[in-house]
């Protein structure tokens, strides 16, 4: 997994979307990140750790290539605007859900 800066993450994400436009998919995950790289110790060894800054970890993968970035609190608004514009631009190939299941249920009840 490659940890990138925010701007380079968005450009690589654009490349992933373009690569998977015809076939394939891109999986994106988002979670809270406190800066730890080691697991939390067990109950026998309590260790208080307070992060100075809340952060988000974003990961994207197309099955072969994995990229990630960490967004700090100060950069969230700027990153969110760029990220939402990117998602809007590349989510035009989604398929609409068939409504046949609703029609079958209503016919069965009549």
């Amino acid at each position: 997994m490659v940890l990138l800066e925010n701007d380079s993450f968005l450009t690589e994400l654009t490349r992933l979307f373009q690569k998977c436009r015809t076939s394939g998919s891109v999986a994106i995950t988002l979670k809270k990140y406190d800066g730890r790289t080691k697991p939390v110790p067990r109950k026998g060894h309590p260790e208080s750790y307070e992060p100075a800054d809340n952060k988000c970890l974003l990961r994207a993968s197309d099955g072969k290539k994995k990229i990630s970035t960490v967004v700090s609190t100060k950069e969230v608004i700027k990153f969110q605007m760029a990220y939402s514009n990117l998602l809007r631009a590349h989510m035009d190939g989604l398929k609409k859900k068939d409504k046949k299941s609703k029609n079958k249920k209503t016919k069965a009840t009549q």
Side-chain angles (χ1 to χ4, degrees), residues 14-24 62 64-65:
T14 304
R15 289 187 188 133
L16 280 178
F17 278 133
Q18 290 172 350
K19 183 177 152 186
C20 296
R21 183 171 289 282
T22 56
S23 65
D62 66 346
K64 296 177 184 175
K65 186 174 182 181

Side-chain angles (χ1 to χ4, degrees), residues 32-34 51-56 71-74 76:
K32 185 177 178 180
Y33 181 67
D34 59 0
D53 188 18
N54 288 330
K55 298 178 183 177
C56 279
V71 182
S72 67
T73 311
K74 298 171 187 172
V76 168

Side-chain angles (χ1 to χ4, degrees), residues 18 32 61 68 71-72 74-75 81 84 100 105 107:
Q18 290 172 350
K32 185 177 178 180
S61 172
S68 62
V71 182
S72 67
K74 298 171 187 172
E75 303 167 342
M81 295 299 288
S84 64
K100 293 179 183 178
K105 289 180 182 178
K107 288 180 182 178

Side-chain angles (χ1 to χ4, degrees), residues 7-88:
D7 295 331
S8 57
F9 175 81
L10 292 172
T11 56
E12 286 294 320
L13 187 60
T14 304
R15 289 187 188 133
L16 280 178
F17 278 133
Q18 290 172 350
K19 183 177 152 186
C20 296
R21 183 171 289 282
T22 56
S23 65
S25 61
V26 177
I28 300 172
T29 59
L30 173 93
K31 67 185 265 188
K32 185 177 178 180
Y33 181 67
D34 59 0
R36 291 186 188 202
T37 56
K38 295 182 180 179
V40 179
R42 294 186 178 177
K43 294 178 184 177
H45 303 283
E47 184 180 319
S48 62
Y49 177 76
E50 286 295 322
D53 188 18
N54 288 330
K55 298 178 183 177
C56 279
L57 175 66
L58 273 95
R59 294 178 179 147
S61 172
D62 66 346
K64 296 177 184 175
K65 186 174 182 181
K66 296 179 181 179
I67 57 173
S68 62
T69 188
V70 177
V71 182
S72 67
T73 311
K74 298 171 187 172
E75 303 167 342
V76 168
I77 301 297
K78 177 186 163 197
F79 183 82
Q80 184 180 7
M81 295 299 288
Y83 180 64
S84 64
N85 289 335
L86 178 75
L87 288 180
R88 282 190 203 123

Side-chain angles (χ1 to χ4, degrees), residues 83-100:
Y83 180 64
S84 64
N85 289 335
L86 178 75
L87 288 180
R88 282 190 203 123
H90 290 92
M91 282 200 182
D92 57 354
L94 296 175
K95 297 177 183 175
K96 291 193 176 185
K97 194 173 183 180
D98 292 337
K99 295 186 179 180
K100 293 179 183 178

